[in-house]
């Protein structure tokens, strides 16, 4: 074995779920080993999984962003179980986007509290979770629902760097109460003012956003920030409020580009100046890199 190969052999194994290969390669760097995961579908739609490498006794990280999760979850489960079966020691999940966080309470009789069920499953499959800005609302911390160590990377420094370089006199605006945590940390990083609007959600695609802004704030450039854009209705309604209040077209920033159906089109037609997201989910609106923050978080625990 060459000294290079020996060095890699001592490092960790990194596996990528389909579509996560680039981030996996970044984590691997020179010190770890990327092992191929073969995933294909049998003619009947079942998944075939094969891991092409030696995992015996080695720490393993699986990179898998959890966008459009229902299909991804099963493949992730099968890959994680295969890794264990092949002798993996510790299993870490790096999931830049952690989905299924919104159902954090039984709002109506009989509903599933999916955020906690996912946490229970992941706490069995994995020994550690690294993610980016999970949607924490009624859960104040992932520790309330996870039994394994969890670490979340904040996108705020990367977003703040982009805003500082591109927007003069920013005013940070959160479209609803849940977004206050992101608006506040971004405003703090920029030493800028922030305002939080009010949102009433009447249905999956039906939200109302309202708010009055002080005239003194008109001198600022509005930057709308939210963690997720899904149907885009929250952004659209928030843009309307800002335009009605007399602001020029706001810059819209979201951390996770979930974008269901034609959401991106709705947002762009609503009159925002631009729509920018972080690269936790691959999308044409990705303009803010958080992979270096993920790498830093992962590397500090996986030397
Ligand atoms: C929920 O409160 C989140 O922070 C987002 O505001 C929400 O997920 C956005 O959803 P949509 O784009 O469907 O309005």
């Amino acid at each position: 074995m060459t000294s290079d190969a020996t060095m890699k052999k001592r490092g960790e194994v990194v596996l990528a779920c389909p579509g996560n290969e680039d981030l996996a390669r970044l984590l691997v760097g020179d010190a770890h080993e990327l092992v191929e995961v073969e995933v294909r579908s049998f003619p009947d739609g079942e998944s075939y999984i094969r891991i092409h490498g030696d995992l015996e006794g080695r720490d393993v990280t699986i990179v898998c962003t959890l966008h459009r999760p229902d299909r991804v979850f099963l493949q992730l489960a099968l890959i994680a179980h295969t890794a264990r079966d092949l002798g993996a020691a510790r299993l870490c999940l790096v999931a830049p986007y952690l989905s299924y966080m919104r159902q954090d309470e039984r709002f109506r009789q009989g509903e599933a509290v999916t955020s906690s069920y996912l946490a229970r499953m992941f706490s069995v499959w994995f020994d550690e979770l690294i993610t980016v800005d999970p949607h924490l609302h009624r859960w104040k911390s992932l520790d309330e629902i996870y039994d394994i160590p969890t670490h979340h990377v904040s996108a705020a420094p990367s977003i703040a760097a982009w805003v500082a370089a591109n927007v003069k006199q920013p005013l940070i605006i959160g479209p609803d109460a849940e977004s206050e945590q992101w608006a506040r940390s971004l405003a703090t990083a920029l030493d800028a003012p922030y305002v939080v609007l009010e949102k009433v959600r009447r249905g999956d695609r039906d939200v109302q956003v309202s708010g009055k802004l002080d005239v003194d704030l008109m001198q600022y450039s509005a930057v709308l920030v939210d963690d997720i854009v899904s149907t885009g209705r929250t952004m659209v309604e928030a843009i309307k409020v800002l335009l009605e209040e007399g602001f020029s077209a706001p810059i819209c920033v979201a951390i996770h580009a979930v974008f269901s159906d034609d959401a991106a089109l709705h947002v762009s037609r609503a009159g925002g100046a631009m729509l920018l997201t972080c690269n936790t989910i691959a999308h044409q609106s990705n303009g803010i890199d958080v992979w270096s923050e993920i790498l830093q978080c992962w590397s500090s625990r996986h030397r």
Side-chain angles (χ1 to χ4, degrees):
M1 196 180 283
T2 66
S3 59
D4 237 24
T6 313
M7 194 179 79
K8 285 196 167 193
K9 190 80 180 161
R10 279 202 304 270
E12 283 200 24
V13 169
V14 179
L15 306 174
C17 283
N20 293 266
E21 294 79 3
D22 289 347
L23 177 56
R25 263 190 288 276
L26 181 73
L27 299 187
V28 166
D30 293 329
H32 304 283
E33 184 186 4
L34 184 66
V35 163
E36 187 202 341
V37 184
E38 184 183 345
V39 180
R40 65 176 175 85
S41 293
F42 285 111
D44 57 11
E46 291 180 7
S47 293
Y48 169 90
I49 309 285
R50 182 176 177 198
I51 297 176
H52 291 262
D54 175 19
L55 307 191
E56 186 61 46
R58 300 176 72 186
D59 288 350
V60 173
T61 289
I62 302 180
V63 183
C64 189
T65 202
L66 297 168
H67 183 224
R68 308 239 183 259
D70 288 14
R71 178 180 163 81
V72 173
F73 273 141
L74 186 57
Q75 289 186 342
L76 175 62
L78 294 172
I79 293 169
H81 282 75
T82 311
R84 287 268 192 229
D85 233 10
L86 295 175
R90 285 180 58 77
L91 264 190
C92 169
L93 171 63
V94 173
Y97 173 56
L98 183 65
S99 50
Y100 270 113
M101 284 301 292
R102 279 181 293 181
Q103 197 70 16
D104 54 5
E105 190 174 296
R106 180 168 294 114
F107 301 99
R108 289 180 299 177
Q109 182 60 29
E111 281 181 350
V113 187
T114 38
S115 53
S116 76
Y117 308 155
L118 257 295
R120 262 185 248 162
M121 286 190 256
F122 284 180
S123 296
V124 173
W125 302 347
F126 300 101
D127 300 297
E128 181 186 18
L129 166 71
I130 295 176
T131 189
V132 178
D133 286 305
H135 184 79
L136 292 170
H137 182 203
R138 288 164 197 88
W139 303 125
K140 297 300 167 218
S141 152
L142 289 179
D143 294 340
E144 288 181 50
I145 47 176
Y146 278 80
D147 297 328
I148 53 173
T150 61
H151 313 284
H152 34 103
V153 169
S154 168
S158 309
I159 299 174
W162 186 92
V163 174
N166 293 283
V167 186
K168 283 199 186 113
Q169 275 206 294
L171 166 66
I172 309 304
I173 296 169
D176 56 18
E178 284 128 285
S179 66
E180 174 160 9
Q181 53 190 301
W182 294 286
R184 192 187 335 107
S185 45
L186 182 56
T188 305
L190 288 162
D191 197 18
Y194 77 94
V195 172
V196 176
L197 305 176
E198 281 168 38
K199 178 170 87 179
V200 178
R201 184 175 283 283
R202 301 197 204 93
D204 289 346
R205 291 163 200 282
D206 184 9
V207 301
Q208 186 181 16
V209 177
S210 58
K212 281 269 158 235
L213 285 95
D214 201 292
V215 296
D216 292 352
L217 297 175
M218 298 299 294
Q219 55 178 308
Y220 289 92
S221 309
V223 179
L224 259 170
V225 63
D226 205 353
D227 61 331
I228 293 168
V229 186
S230 178
T231 66
R233 298 311 196 270
T234 301
M235 278 289 180
V236 168
E237 294 305 314
I239 292 169
K240 279 187 199 162
V241 169
L242 296 176
L243 296 181
E244 279 162 21
E245 287 289 300
F247 280 90
S248 50
I251 289 170
C252 304
V253 181
I255 300 169
H256 306 294
V258 173
F259 290 115
S260 54
D261 312 324
D262 48 3
L265 192 67
H266 281 290
V267 177
S268 65
R269 281 185 184 157
M274 68 186 297
L275 174 62
L276 208 61
T277 59
C278 301
N279 53 352
T280 58
I281 297 171
H283 188 265
Q284 60 196 20
S285 61
N286 290 168
I288 298 175
D289 175 49
V290 291
W291 286 8
S292 44
E293 305 287 328
I294 295 174
L295 173 64
Q296 205 181 332
C297 176
W298 184 80
S299 304
S300 67
R301 290 167 178 85
H302 299 253
R303 292 180 196 285

